[in-house]
Every structure is written in C-alpha cells, then in structure tokens.
Amino acid sequence: MLKMNCNYCKSTKLEYLLSDTNSTYTYCSNCKKNFDLAHKHIAIDALLKKLLNILNTSNERSLKIEVTQENGSILLIINNIRVFKTDFKYDFLKKESVDLIIADIQMPVMIGLDLQEAIRKENLSNAYFVILSGYADFEYARRALQNECTDYILKPVDRDMLLKLLNRVSAMRDEDDRMRQKNNKMEKAYLARNQIALIKGKYDDSNLQYVTSQMKCKEGVRYVEIQMAGCDADEDVTDQEMREFQRQMYECCTAFLKDYAENCVFDASADEKIYDVGLIFFQYMAEEAGLDENAYLNGLVEYLGENLSRPVTMLVGKKVQDISLIARSYGNACMLRSFQGFRSKKDIYFYEEEVQVSNDGMVLCKKSLDDLLKVVEQNNHMEIRAAVDRFYGEMSQRGLRGE
C-alpha cells in the first residue's frame, strides 16, 4: 500500500474519517493540519444525510419546514421530524466556518432578515444566505437582496427546488474556493517578490511599505538561509530531486512557523544555483515562544530533521536593526555559505560565532588569503604550498579546519 505524507509537515501519521455520506476526510495527527476542517465536514455531512433522507423519502411535493425555540435552543423541523437542534448564538460564526445559512423570516429571538443584516454588518461570515418566507412581499425580498441574499424561497418549500438550491450552492462554494486559492497564491507570490527585493537590497519605498503592511515587523531581525546539507561525494542528486526537496523544506518550515508562515521565502536566491528557503527571523518570534533565538532555531532544525528525508544546514546572518537593513544580514549568510567548506560540519552556523572580525572591520585571515591568491596568479608552485600551509595554520588558530 502506498504511504501518503502530510502536505505540510511530510509526516505519515495521517488519520482518515468516514462520514455518513461515505466521504473520506483526512487530517495529520502530527501537526494537526486539517483536524478542525475534517471534523467540521463530518458534522455537516451528518446533517445533510438527515436532510437528504427526508427529501428522498418524502412522497409530498412540498415540505413543511419549521424553525422554533425550545428551552433556549433552536429546532429545525421538517415535516414534523426534528432534524437539528442547537443553541442559537450567531456569534459562533466568529469561531466556525459556515457555507450556507437558511433562515426563516419569522424566527424566535431574531427574524431572518435581522439575522442576515447583523451577520453582514459585523462581517461574521461570507456564507451563502437563503431566506424562507410565507410572504410574497417585495419589500422583504428587497431587504434580503441588499444584504447579498443567495435566494428567497416561498413556503411551502418544493423538494426539487431545495435539492437544486443545495447543488447550486455547492458548485458556487467550490468555485469560490478555487478563486480564493488562486488569489492567495498570487498574493503570496507578490509578497515574496517584495521580500526578495529587500533581501537583495534592491528595493524602494513601495517594496518596503508593502512588506511592512503584510508582516509583523519589529526591531531585531536576521536573515536565515536553509538548504540541504552537503551531499556525499559519491551521491548523485539530480536538479529535479533538489527542487522537490526545496519545496518540502518550504512546506515543513511554514508548518513549523504557523502564524509566522509569511516570513518564509521560497527560493530567495532565485538567480543562483542554490536550492534554498529564506527565513526573515525577528527576535520577537523567539520571545513569544518563550525561547532565546538559538533555542528557537535549533527547534526548527530538529523539526525539519524529523520530517524531511535529508538533513539541512542553517546559515544565520548577523542581527540588524530592522527589515530595511535585511540585505546586510543576507550578505552575512552568503559569506557563511562560502566558508562552509573550511569549517567543521554542523547543523547551524551563526555569523557572530563563525566569522571573526578585526577592529577595522576586515575579516581575519585576509592577509594570508591574499598572499595565497597572489602566488596562485604567479603560478609559483613552491610558494603556493607554503602559502597554503600559512593560510590553513591561521584558520586552525581561529578554530577553522578544512575538510
């Protein structure tokens, strides 16, 4: 049997729920992605199954639909059969996602039109709204339509008409979901484009203003580059495999970051032969988790190690004052990337720990490195060996070693 993975954290711990309508809903027991959505659909399917059973077994062309109050609860009754009971507090819409609301003009507590107006005014839900009424009154219909009513149905309700309505709403919901996903994808791409402009230091006020309007930006920020750890010399990894791993890294990072997912940038080094994921890491992200920066980033590395097929390497640039200076931190991460071959292998490289700088701001080992480059240009084989020995000797004193 083919083993499926979570699209977000890549875990194989998937749970499958079978609803009353024989639909299967999946959620990940590891990261809990889609947990609430799956159980919501199970509850909706249970209600729809009851409603459809009544519609399909009724011999009457019209249905008697009643909404009444009993001991502080609201009852939905179809042809004298109690279908659904719930406490009537429409503020539950602040917590639950609802696709369709069917309300009667005459209801206890609040009439259907007032309910519709309250929900739209307070922006509690974008659910489709259907009004049931025993009155063919244009004023009622006009009020309903003013508040984006999907349909206005006169009682008694025709069974076939109600089935057509449910099918139409289902199709409309699917189209809305498709458009929402498309718009979300476009918005993410536009945000990433502006983030990369800041990361590369090639930006203007328009880029900066858009990023700061879409992200929670505070003082104290670093650029963090995340990439696949170096492969063994005899390991042949194709570009396609590298690209796929890069996408998995991005999905795992966003799953870990949760509310900070927009801080993660796919393919930040787009113009280079690097399969990376960038992280705009603010100090407050660690503080809100009750951790210091090292512990937070180590937690991310551990999470990626548990959920990816290969180990990763994290390059952490120097902290800068705010996001307008993030390009400097990105430059630090690029420098760490260049130094990797000369350092002991580890999961995380912090700029402050790995790069030692003299008082005049020059990277130590510069003189011995310049001497080495000079003799290489002169093709002086005797001096090249001596210069290499001096260069590696100084690196050893600095705690560096070549592999």
Side-chain angles (χ1 to χ4, degrees), residues 145-160:
L145 292 172
Q146 279 182 335
N147 291 287
E148 302 174 24
C149 183
T150 304
D151 210 338
Y152 186 93
I153 300 177
L154 293 176
K155 297 188 291 186
V157 179
D158 181 79
R159 180 183 63 183
D160 292 340

Side-chain angles (χ1 to χ4, degrees), residues 19-72:
S19 76
D20 288 348
T21 58
N22 292 322
S23 297
T24 302
Y25 300 102
T26 308
Y27 71 90
C28 177
S29 61
N30 181 54
C31 69
K32 300 301 182 183
K33 193 67 180 178
N34 291 329
F35 178 86
D36 292 337
L37 183 63
H39 284 83
K40 184 195 83 169
H41 281 300
I42 290 292
I44 290 173
D45 283 359
L47 176 60
L48 288 177
K49 181 68 177 293
K50 293 178 182 178
L51 182 57
L52 289 172
N53 282 342
I54 293 169
L55 293 174
N56 290 326
T57 57
S58 174
N59 294 322
E60 302 179 24
R61 290 298 302 171
S62 62
L63 300 174
K64 181 183 178 183
I65 298 179
E66 299 176 84
V67 180
T68 188
Q69 186 177 21
E70 180 184 280
N71 299 326

Side-chain angles (χ1 to χ4, degrees), residues 372-383:
L372 174 59
L373 293 174
K374 183 177 180 180
V375 294
V376 168
E377 289 174 356
Q378 295 172 349
N379 199 25
N380 187 331
H381 296 283
M382 294 293 292
E383 287 298 323

